[in-house]
Amino acid sequence: MSSRTARHARAGIRLALVPLAALVPGLLAAQDRAQGAPARDPAQDPTMQEARATRVLKLSLEDALRVALLNNFDLEVERLSTAQARYNAIGSWGAFDPFFRMDGTAAQSETEAQSSLIGTEENDLRFDSSLSFPLLTGGTLDLAYGHTNSETDAPFAIFDVSTRDVITVSLTQPLLRGAWRRYATIEQRATEIALERQIEREREVHARLLLDVANAYWTVVSAQEELAVRQLTLQRGQQQLAQDQRRLEVGAGTEVDVLQSETNVATAEQGLLQAEYTLREARDALRRVLAPRPGEDYEAYLDAWDWPIETLTPLPQDPQAAQPWRTSLRSALERRPELAQVRLGIEAAEVDLQRAQSLRLPQLDVNVSSSSAGFDTDPAEAFDKAAGWDFPSSSAGFTFSLPLWNRTARNAEYSARAALRQAMLLFDRLELDLLAEVRLAVNEVDRQRDAVEAAVKSRTLAQRQLEAEETRQQVGLSTTFQVLQFQEDLARTLSAEVFARAAYARAQARLAFAEGRLEAPESEGR
């Protein structure tokens, strides 16, 4: 659209997206964070007061992207899911936290004498504690301490009152099934992969939201420009009608010319109404992706949906050709979160296969323990004997088990191998889909660039034709019908140029999404 035509179009009306009052605080907060400025008090901020007083908010594409990132429900849900996955991943390492256990018992018994060798009264006070250390090798290191204080009236007891302390150190280490760090930390690796996949899922929702906002924004700008074109068309038609009426009054024109101009004005008014409704729908669609949220005053929130506002980012004026599609494909393969999710799916399948392979192995655990006991009437002496390892005892052994046939574990491994193969095929298919998507996006950018150039050329020629025909009519060499036809041709080419530029802007956003580089301005440089 030429500067002259653009001035005429903007002179009719300045139309833009109408964000809600609920978006104003979020927008200001996003701008403050992006600039590193302190948060502003809405009640004292002049910008907020002006926005509320005029009920108009100037919204650029960058502002719309920031507001959507602040308010979008789906993105907030994914953020919370990421937080959950992070806590699960961190908490899974609690499996290797030491475990302390302590219990105590007090027992008293009296029995009827059955022999002169056996006592009739027994009083025991028992205390046991243990500390277990799960090891990254899959084994367990246990430290145990037992304290027993006994009182008896048995005739042959060495002491009427005695204390027995026992300290035990034991180690259990699997050698086959469930052995060593690779298997011992398999659950932790699974939760970490789940976290990484959720992070990529959040990135995917983030990118798709930005694409939706960009498309909705450009649709609003396109509808705004189309409305300006329809206003300009109506203005030209009204000027032509006034001119034909003057010519009729002085006898230089005919009633047919006036009727043709009136019909043209009526058609232009109909087109203007349609453009207004289209712009209204586009505004609501953008409001929806911006996801404003009601505050305490719900009626004010509803009223804000009818406020007029203004967009600041114009349609692209100098379209450029897309870069080679191979360059775009390399960017997509490196950045697209969907591909990263499938890669992590392959890694998760490999972890499941490792688990299944371990379960097919026989169980062979080595058990090593050493203990020391102390016995004395003095509790301190008993403990010193136990701690000094004065009377040690040690043992070593093993536990072996092998399920016969082991059909569960065997088929679990087959299933894990099939899942791994499936994940690899999904990766290959997604790579193919991305290749096709990138080529389509690159071709669409080039096509829309050519469409813009063709539309500009057509609009320039239509404008020159109209100017020439208006000059011919002034000297009586043309009719109103012919002038109106050229006016209609110019309006059509103006609309075609608007739609071509908007389609080019959306194609650029789609290409950026396909390449995995569609980011909000505040996220640039991260």
Side-chain angles (χ1 to χ4, degrees), residues 104-120:
T105 59
Q108 180 179 8
S109 64
E110 295 182 5
T111 59
E112 183 178 0
Q114 301 177 6
S115 170
S116 61
L117 302 179
I118 301 176
T120 60

Side-chain angles (χ1 to χ4, degrees), residues 357-374:
Q357 289 174 332
S358 178
L359 293 177
R360 286 199 65 181
L361 298 175
Q363 178 184 3
L364 178 59
D365 297 348
V366 172
N367 308 292
V368 179
S369 68
S370 178
S371 64
S372 175

Side-chain angles (χ1 to χ4, degrees), residues 227-295:
L227 183 58
V229 169
R230 294 303 169 185
Q231 272 212 320
L232 178 61
T233 301
L234 178 59
Q235 181 183 355
R236 287 181 178 274
Q238 291 172 339
Q239 293 174 351
Q240 183 65 38
L241 175 59
Q243 179 181 344
D244 289 338
Q245 287 175 339
R246 288 193 300 269
R247 293 177 68 244
L248 178 61
E249 291 173 357
V250 299
T254 64
E255 291 185 4
V256 174
D257 291 338
V258 175
L259 289 174
Q260 289 176 340
S261 295
E262 290 177 343
T263 302
N264 180 67
V265 169
T267 303
E269 290 175 344
Q270 182 181 6
L272 180 62
L273 288 174
Q274 180 61 46
E276 289 175 347
Y277 279 107
T278 300
L279 179 57
R280 186 184 304 177
E281 292 175 354
R283 288 172 175 172
D284 284 347
L286 182 55
R287 290 188 189 102
R288 176 64 185 86
V289 295
L290 293 181
R293 304 184 187 185

Side-chain angles (χ1 to χ4, degrees), residues 359-415:
L359 293 177
R360 286 199 65 181
L361 298 175
Q363 178 184 3
L364 178 59
D365 297 348
V366 172
N367 308 292
V368 179
S369 68
S370 178
S371 64
S372 175
F375 180 78
D376 203 286
T377 57
D378 184 0
E381 289 293 332
F383 180 80
D384 289 342
K385 291 178 182 179
W389 235 258
D390 294 342
F391 301 96
S393 61
S394 302
S395 66
F398 69 91
T399 301
F400 178 83
S401 66
L402 175 64
L404 300 181
W405 294 287
N406 206 8
R407 288 178 292 179
T408 300
R410 185 173 66 253
N411 286 280
E413 181 182 356
Y414 297 156
S415 176

Side-chain angles (χ1 to χ4, degrees), residues 38 68 96 118 146 210 223 229 233 309 380 386 413 440 444 498 501 509 515:
F96 297 99
I118 301 176
L210 295 182
V229 169
T233 301
I309 39 176
E413 181 182 356
L440 180 63
E444 184 66 13
V498 168
R501 292 187 185 278
E515 293 175 343

Side-chain angles (χ1 to χ4, degrees), residues 68-87:
L69 292 179
L70 286 173
N71 292 338
N72 186 262
F73 290 96
D74 293 336
L75 186 57
E76 186 170 345
V77 168
E78 293 302 325
R79 287 169 180 158
L80 292 174
S81 297
T82 301
Q84 293 175 5
R86 180 172 290 108
Y87 294 137

